[in-house]
Amino acid sequence: MDQVLNYQWILIVLASLVLFFIAPFAKTPAAFFKATVQNRQPSQWVLISSLVISWIFAKSITNAANLGLSFGIVGGVAYAMYYLSFWVAGIVIYRMRTKGNFKSIHHFLETKYGRSALIVFSILIAFRLFNEVWSNTMVIGTYFGAQGSANYYGSIIVFTLLTLAYVLKGGLQSSLLTDVIQMVLFGVLLFIILGILLPKEQNDVAAFLQTGTWTLAGGLDLLFVALIQVFSYPFHDPVLTDRGFIAEPKVTLRSFFWASFIGMICIVLFSFVGIYAQMQGMEGQAAVEVSRSLGLVTTLIMNFIMITSAASTLDSTFSSFAKLAVVDLGQGRQVTVKRGRIAMVALMLIGTIPVFLSPTILSATTISGTMVIGLAPIFLFWNKSFPIWSFHLSIGVGILMGLLLATNTVPESWIFFNGKYATLLSVNIIGTIASFGLFFAGGWLKLNHNRNHRIT
């Protein structure tokens, strides 16, 4: 065990140092916040790689493996449905850029609904970015020791600081460049892991695909939650939406479509790790238990996959928060690289605090996803005229539903299904209906107000 731990420490330090020296040094705000150097925009392959690896978080592949352990292939497919978010966001952002001439999500919201809407939305995505820090670094910690141990906390702190170091150099420019490297590494390592697992005890792909039951109690409840949330979930993730405005619209649209397809395949394939754990009767964190059962080499490969995916998400999180704090909420203040770097350090400090409070990793996705279900009508009907209270009423419903889930105070009469995620699905259905209803009610009130005003 000590030998494995020593190798893991070498891996985490060496990988981060290599990325630090590879990462470019951004000298201008355009390079730091938009990855634009001498008017050259990111290519389609760079954008696809960045989108995919930034969304294949350490927590995502951990969740995929655990869901495979719990529900078989149904769990993997259910979690993969979240990657349809790329299709939704890609189409909406493409139309917002080509039909509405908007330069960013924040530009759209402030133009359409005013400063108050911009502030509320920014708080929501700041909460999302805050969640990304602790939920991904906690995964790294579990490979170094039991939760609460010195190695657990030490690895989290070292990993976070080393990742921060290379993204401080170049901001989004560093993030995109390292994303390409991390995507290639992830793909290679994933297929090595599958090459080890599939031949074990004459397992084959068909055996993995036949696991699980396609019922609500068997994991379909989470699949339906994902299908509801994909219409709102992507718009509160600036890691995704920021990349929707840094390349030509058609290049961006193609990139989002390919990223969705590749991301779904990667998540389903990684759920095979959990399915293998189920076949072997394992319990606990699927990826951790499987890697340990297969020896030193497999453990180090699995650890490197986690380091790669966590670093890609963490550097993107830091760069997106810098843009949010300095560019989107700048209120006319000078946009400087120095301000962006200060914002990154601030998020690192605040986002690491929950690590010491032992939160649940999956809740970072499911609860925050519920809190923003009110974004769906706002972005699906972005080109229609609705008043400011439509925005706030719809957003308010989502926040209320998320708080009910977070505090375990959902009324029993609201739960219509059976299964592990029955409460989550019920709340999302009720919340979505309510948010659309109140959003359109705001438009109806405005229409009647204008009609009465004309009559008088």
Side-chain angles (χ1 to χ4, degrees):
M1 183 63 186
D2 289 339
Q3 184 184 20
V4 172
L5 196 58
N6 290 334
Y7 280 125
Q8 288 180 169
W9 276 108
I10 292 172
L11 268 180
I12 198 173
V13 173
L14 185 61
S16 299
L17 288 177
V18 168
L19 292 177
F20 178 81
F21 287 111
I22 290 175
F25 185 80
K27 298 180 180 179
T28 66
F32 192 84
F33 295 108
K34 297 183 178 181
T36 300
V37 181
Q38 296 178 345
N39 294 321
R40 292 198 306 271
Q41 297 175 337
S43 67
Q44 181 171 307
W45 168 242
V46 169
L47 201 53
I48 292 171
S49 299
S50 184
L51 285 165
V52 174
I53 198 63
S54 294
W55 255 48
I56 299 181
F57 329 122
K59 70 164 190 204
S60 289
I61 53 181
T62 297
N63 289 336
N66 289 341
L67 288 167
L69 172 62
S70 299
F71 303 108
I73 192 64
V74 183
V77 172
Y79 204 65
M81 288 299 103
Y82 274 101
Y83 287 76
L84 291 175
S85 295
F86 286 113
W87 286 11
V88 176
I91 293 170
V92 171
I93 290 174
Y94 175 79
R95 292 181 61 82
M96 287 175 69
R97 293 181 65 184
T98 57
K99 305 296 183 181
N101 294 317
F102 292 111
K103 306 302 180 185
S104 68
I105 295 294
H106 285 75
H107 179 208
F108 157 69
L109 287 172
E110 188 165 22
T111 302
K112 188 77 177 287
Y113 295 107
R115 187 73 184 177
S116 64
L118 179 65
I119 298 299
V120 170
F121 177 76
S122 297
I123 292 172
L124 287 174
I125 63 173
F127 180 69
R128 157 78 182 199
L129 294 172
F130 161 78
N131 277 341
E132 291 305 313
V133 178
W134 62 262
S135 62
N136 282 282
T137 56
M138 277 181 62
V139 174
I140 296 299
T142 60
Y143 283 81
F144 285 80
Q147 193 168 3
S149 66
N151 277 317
Y152 172 81
Y153 289 128
S155 62
I156 288 173
I157 292 170
V158 170
F159 170 75
T160 304
L161 289 174
L162 289 174
T163 304
L164 177 67
Y166 78 75
V167 76
L168 281 173
K169 280 185 67 179
L172 186 57
Q173 188 183 6
S174 288
S175 181
L176 291 179
L177 176 62
T178 54
D179 281 350
V180 175
I181 299 169
Q182 290 157 337
M183 182 63 207
V184 173
L185 284 173
F186 175 83
V188 171
L189 295 173
L190 173 60
F191 279 97
I192 291 175
I193 288 291
L194 293 176
I196 295 171
L197 294 184
L198 291 178
K200 287 285 181 179
E201 299 183 10
Q202 297 182 335
N203 290 326
D204 57 22
V205 175
F208 282 76
L209 295 178
Q210 291 169 6
T211 56
T213 57
W214 294 88
T215 63
L216 286 176
L220 277 181
D221 47 4
L222 182 61
L223 186 148
F224 290 133
V225 170
L227 291 178
I228 292 171
Q229 291 189 354
V230 294
F231 294 101
S232 55
Y233 193 87
F235 300 109
H236 90 303
D237 181 12
V239 170
L240 184 153
T241 56
D242 285 350
R243 284 155 176 73
F245 293 88
I246 60 176
E248 291 298 319
K250 288 187 178 180
V251 171
T252 301
L253 184 61
R254 289 195 298 269
S255 299
F256 272 63
F257 271 67
W258 277 109
S260 177
F261 178 68
I262 295 170
M264 292 176 75
I265 291 176
C266 288
I267 288 297
V268 171
L269 289 177
F270 203 86
S271 72
F272 281 20
V273 173
I275 296 172
Y276 174 81
Q278 183 189 76
M279 292 174 172
Q280 302 303 310
M282 297 178 182
E283 296 180 353
Q285 291 278 15
V288 175
E289 297 305 319
V290 168
S291 62
R292 288 174 179 171
S293 72
L294 297 177
L296 174 62
V297 174
T298 306
T299 298
L300 293 178
I301 291 173
M302 192 73 75
N303 185 266
F304 201 42
I305 286 177
M306 293 299 174
I307 291 172
T308 298
S309 58
S312 68
T313 301
L314 199 57
D315 64 41
S316 296
T317 298
F318 288 140
S319 60
S320 289
F321 184 77
K323 177 179 175 290
L324 171 66
V326 179
V327 179
D328 298 326
L329 296 175
Q331 288 187 306
R333 289 193 299 268
Q334 184 179 8
V335 175
T336 65
V337 173
K338 180 180 178 180
R339 290 180 185 273
R341 288 174 175 145
I342 292 172
M344 289 180 178
V345 174
L347 180 63
M348 181 274 295
L349 293 172
I350 298 171
T352 303
I353 293 174
V355 166
F356 301 95
L357 304 177
S358 303
T360 303
I361 295 173
L362 183 59
S363 66
T365 298
T366 56
I367 292 178
S368 67
T370 301
M371 292 184 76
V372 297
I373 54 177
L375 291 175
I378 294 166
F379 285 96
L380 292 181
F381 298 97
W382 67 271
N383 59 338
K384 305 297 182 182
S385 179
F386 287 91
I388 181 64
W389 51 80
S390 285
F391 174 92
H392 288 294
L393 287 172
S394 185
I395 289 292
V397 169
I399 293 174
L400 174 61
M401 297 298 166
L403 290 175
L404 289 175
L405 282 174
T407 57
N408 293 315
T409 54
V410 178
E412 290 188 11
S413 60
W414 287 16
I415 305 172
F416 310 122
F417 309 100
N418 295 315
K420 184 176 181 179
Y421 300 103
T423 301
L424 182 65
L425 176 58
S426 299
V427 169
N428 273 263
I429 291 174
I430 293 171
T432 298
I433 293 172
S435 65
F436 272 87
L438 289 173
F439 183 78
F440 285 112
W444 179 79
L445 290 171
K446 178 184 177 183
L447 182 64
N448 277 276
H449 174 78
N450 291 340
R451 183 181 297 149
N452 292 336
H453 183 72
R454 286 195 299 270
I455 293 172
T456 55

